[in-house]
Amino acid sequence: MAESRCGLLCSACEFRESMGCAGCTQIEKPFWGESCPVKSCCEGRDLPHCGLCGDFPCQVLEGFAYDPQQGDNGARIERCAQWKEETAWPPV
């Protein structure tokens, strides 16, 4: 099951407990800023995560995945692709 919109593993996030974050699928606003472009995009398209988007992977997601400071070398993109295989979409 998807833990986030972008493929990040919220269960492994070092800030989850200290910031009281329930993950972007469960919160209105991220603790680290006013908004998240990936979260906003998925919600605007009524998608649970990026893997189900027709534009996957897009430049915004790639920017997050390969960010020099906080990226994960594309692991979140691979995770979204895996989640796509596990997600019945559209919901019945």
Side-chain angles (χ1 to χ4, degrees):
M1 184 171 124
E3 291 187 34
S4 67
R5 306 286 185 196
C6 70
L8 184 71
L9 286 179
C10 296
S11 59
C13 178
E14 64 185 271
F15 300 107
R16 184 176 185 150
E17 285 188 38
S18 65
M19 298 307 291
C21 183
C24 70
T25 61
Q26 304 296 317
I27 60 173
E28 293 281 325
K29 179 179 144 187
F31 68 85
W32 47 266
E34 282 301 309
S35 66
C36 171
V38 174
K39 175 179 169 46
S40 298
C41 182
C42 283
E43 290 174 353
R45 294 174 184 229
D46 201 26
L47 297 171
H49 60 81
C50 292
L52 298 172
C53 183
D55 296 327
F56 173 77
C58 70
Q59 289 181 343
V60 174
L61 182 60
E62 287 177 346
F64 272 73
Y66 295 103
D67 178 76
Q69 294 180 344
Q70 298 183 20
D72 56 13
N73 274 343
R76 69 183 69 203
I77 293 173
E78 292 174 22
R79 202 166 293 114
C80 281
Q82 179 184 359
W83 290 346
K84 178 181 181 177
E85 298 301 317
E86 299 169 356
T87 305
W89 197 258
V92 186

